[in-house]
Amino acid sequence: MDEMEEELKCPVCGSFFREPIILPCTHNICLACARNILVQTPDAESPQSSRASGSGVSDYDYLDLDKMSLYSEADSGYGSYGGFVSAPTTPCQKSPNGVRVFPPSVPQPPPQQQQQQQQQHLLLHPGSLPPIPRNSCITCPQCHRSLILDERGLRGFAKNRVLEGVVDRYQQSKAAALKCQLCEKSPKEATVMCEQCDVFYCDPCRLRCHPPRGPLAKHRLVPPAQGRISRRASPRKTSTCTEHELENLSMYCVQCKMPVCYQCLEEGKHGTHEVKALGAMWKLHKGQLSQALTGLSDRATEAKEFLVQLRNMVQHIQENGVEFEACLVAQCDALIDALNRRKAQLLSRVNKEHEHKLKVVRDQISHCTVKLRQTTGLMEYCLEVIKENDPSGFLQISDALIRRVHMTEGQWGKGTLTPRMTSDFDLTLDSGPLLQTIHQLDFVQMKVPAAPMLQLEECCTQNNSATLSWKQPPLSTIAVDGYILELDDGNMGLFREVYVGTETICTVDGLHFNSMYKSRVKAFNASGVGQYSKTLIMQTSEIAWFTFDPASAHPDIILSNDNLTVSCNSYDDRVVMGNSAFSRGVHYWEMTVDRYDNHPDPAFGIARADVLKDVMLGKDDKAWAMYVDNNRSWFMHNNSHTNRTDGGIGKGATIGILLDFTRRILIFLINDEQQGPVAFEALEGVYYPAISLNRNVQITLHTGLPIPDFYTTGEADPTGSEC
């Protein structure tokens, strides 16, 4: 609450606000202070003439206060609030809290005469303000915008009842303890208050004068603080329009952003504007202010944590400085007498670096502390404003507060909560030079690089590829010549280098599917190799997604449908492979027959990277395949045909291929039924999906499929008849 106190003080008198009014610039000022800083303009420049000469000028004119120019026609113009217009610049003086205040420009009567005039006015017009001199103007002591008052004078400004209520609550919270009203000598501190009797009691007086029996038993006793609030509480006053003093504010003008009455809508400038219910806009703006405070609260929390970090940095700098000095002294004392003359100079440099770091961090602490105190004060003030139940009063200041909250939040932008200095001393003493070069002894700035930081938000895996990204620590100033990226074998084995270079992002292809890879990176320069980064574990895809590979396909192969559909323009068999290789895990993919003419016999299976592309798949020792026509199928490897099985394919048929490296076997399916026994066994190494076909067939590939149920439940047939 203490940080909020500056929000509750008048910029003129420096005391808590009393009867605050809202100026058109949204700043607040005491009503009495507003009268004290009024300036009377020359009669030749009346408000009417100023309005006439300044028509068409919108909003308020900013005054060049440094020039202290005399009043001129260029200083006048229409304002956007209640008919006030810009007023002349006048010399200023300092208020108690340091804000410049504009004194009257015409001689004022003596204080005794002023008091007599005010008393005479109050006798003739009880309850009203003393008259304002004609052609008076007022200048905001905070933003220095100047306005000429119309015939209503200061009554044309809305009273800030919300601020007045917050000030009252704040002063009550700081007030002294209440005393018992029935103690005859040395009143004791009150412990309760009777709401019916309206009396504060200490414990002895309550037992003696207010026993809990008879009619008094029904009285309600409350704590003194609650009793004081209820005693001072009064029914909320209904806000009246500044333009039509007999009308209550009941609507909100969206365009002008101010409460209005019905007469304003019927007769005034708001008649064509969009208006909404006062209560609805009150709730809406309260919600907006609360939402804005949430973001500002997060920034304040981050600022507190940042201050703790900075204070810890001070300690670390001091500890590192002491440690560095001790090391330096030990090295210098080990050298010959010639080094002792140099030692003082080196220590001086270390001390300067030490003091420089401390100064930078302490300055940042001081700056951040001031900003945090201002932020906290604004937050507490806004929270108190939200507690107010006066819709119109709240809406009069809500827009300004929301802008202030957003502006304050913006001040905690990127880089504000980042240390400006590192606590490390990036200096190393080189004790190797010969004695004849001792006059050249100096600090060596080069160190091995710090451990890089993996950028987790940019690291990812796709299929059997892994992309890793890294960067140097934010405060590191050590030069880096390159990086070394290492991965293990995906089976908890040894690390191996997969990249050496200057880039900070790398994609590694050809990894095993469904494997966990550990990765790390380190930096190097002329001084050596730095520490490893933290180890990152990455999971490759459990299910393979791939297409046909146009780069490795035979020239007669025709690919379409994003390389998922294959055909051929030759009557001879031609081979095409997939773009992903398998060496671990269990994989399953299917191919559907889109076109089947003249009973060809396409072959489906797996192959090495150097398989022959101009013969049927399985003719050489680099492929393991099943070729099938419209009636039967055969398994073939190295031109050896085995396991003829009845059942062929036609248009619309589906051929499934299941490759299991855990059992080292290959199985084929036709239309979801296993075709023959296990086709091939003892498979190991790296294999690519492959197919051979001629112009009478068109095939479409389907990948990313789950393992068939018959295989996962153990119903696969390991046997079959060979013909």
Side-chain angles (χ1 to χ4, degrees), residues 346-490:
L346 297 176
L347 284 173
S348 175
R349 289 187 56 185
V350 173
N351 289 329
K352 288 181 180 179
E353 180 72 8
H354 180 198
E355 294 300 324
H356 172 67
K357 289 178 178 289
L358 291 176
K359 182 179 183 302
V360 171
V361 175
R362 285 168 175 165
D363 289 347
Q364 194 172 10
I365 289 176
S366 176
H367 176 73
C368 190
T369 302
V370 172
K371 186 179 291 186
L372 177 61
R373 183 169 60 250
Q374 295 172 349
T375 300
T376 307
L378 177 60
M379 289 171 53
E380 292 178 353
Y381 170 59
C382 291
L383 290 174
E384 291 298 325
V385 168
I386 292 176
K387 294 178 183 178
E388 287 296 313
N389 295 323
D390 183 0
S392 61
F394 178 84
L395 291 174
Q396 289 173 334
I397 63 173
S398 58
D399 284 299
L401 285 179
I402 292 172
R403 287 195 300 271
R404 286 188 60 191
V405 168
H406 284 305
M407 181 177 65
T408 305
E409 182 182 1
Q411 294 175 354
W412 293 103
K414 184 177 181 181
T416 307
L417 302 181
T418 302
R420 300 173 184 169
M421 181 64 63
T422 174
S423 59
D424 295 331
F425 285 73
D426 298 331
L427 303 170
T428 301
L429 183 65
D430 184 9
S431 59
L434 299 174
L435 291 177
Q436 60 265 32
T437 61
I438 196 168
H439 64 281
Q440 298 177 347
L441 185 64
D442 201 350
F443 287 110
V444 176
Q445 299 289 337
M446 182 65 71
K447 278 187 175 182
V448 296
M453 298 172 56
L454 288 170
Q455 301 192 83
L456 301 182
E457 66 278 4
E458 297 183 13
C459 297
C460 63
T461 59
Q462 183 176 10
N463 234 5
N464 62 336
S465 299
T467 299
L468 295 105
S469 177
W470 59 88
K471 65 179 180 180
Q472 281 298 102
L475 298 179
S476 177
T477 58
I478 304 174
V480 175
D481 293 340
Y483 300 93
I484 301 173
L485 176 63
E486 297 181 356
L487 267 71
D488 70 350
D489 60 357

Side-chain angles (χ1 to χ4, degrees), residues 36 163 196 230 346 437 507 589:
N36 292 336
L163 176 57
Q196 284 71 30
S230 61
L346 297 176
T437 61
T507 298
W589 63 96

Side-chain angles (χ1 to χ4, degrees), residues 72-214:
S72 65
E73 291 183 359
D75 292 319
S76 62
Y78 272 123
S80 64
Y81 185 89
F84 302 117
V85 295
S86 298
T89 302
T90 57
C92 65
Q93 62 186 8
K94 286 287 187 72
S95 72
N97 61 351
V99 179
R100 291 188 289 184
V101 179
F102 290 80
S105 60
V106 296
Q108 298 293 320
Q112 184 176 3
Q113 183 178 352
Q114 293 184 29
Q115 185 176 5
Q116 292 176 355
Q117 293 175 353
Q118 293 177 2
Q119 291 177 350
Q120 183 178 4
H121 174 80
L122 291 174
L123 290 174
L124 297 176
H125 307 281
S128 63
L129 293 172
I132 301 297
R134 63 189 302 268
N135 299 339
S136 295
C137 70
I138 185 171
T139 300
C140 176
Q142 289 184 279
C143 66
H144 311 303
R145 291 179 178 178
S146 195
L147 302 166
I148 293 179
L149 277 63
D150 62 8
E151 62 276 1
R152 294 175 298 167
L154 296 177
R155 290 183 294 106
F157 297 106
K159 294 182 179 180
N160 194 339
R161 295 189 306 278
V162 173
L163 176 57
E164 194 171 9
V166 174
V167 170
D168 186 53
R169 286 202 304 271
Y170 181 80
Q171 290 179 321
Q172 290 176 14
S173 66
K174 298 294 183 179
L178 294 170
K179 301 296 183 180
C180 176
Q181 294 178 277
L182 298 182
C183 291
E184 296 181 358
K185 296 180 180 180
S186 302
K188 299 179 181 179
E189 184 176 341
T191 57
V192 294
M193 178 225 179
C194 177
E195 289 187 336
Q196 284 71 30
C197 301
D198 196 19
V199 175
F200 291 94
Y201 298 95
C202 63
D203 286 336
C205 293
R206 177 178 59 82
L207 295 175
R208 184 177 69 253
C209 304
H210 200 289
R213 58 180 180 271

Side-chain angles (χ1 to χ4, degrees), residues 514 583-587 658-666 682-684 711:
N514 195 22
S583 59
R584 183 182 300 166
V586 181
H587 307 280
L658 193 152
L659 177 60
D660 185 353
F661 283 99
T662 60
R663 297 171 57 186
R664 301 166 59 192
I665 63 175
L666 181 66
L683 297 173
E684 60 181 4
Y711 190 76

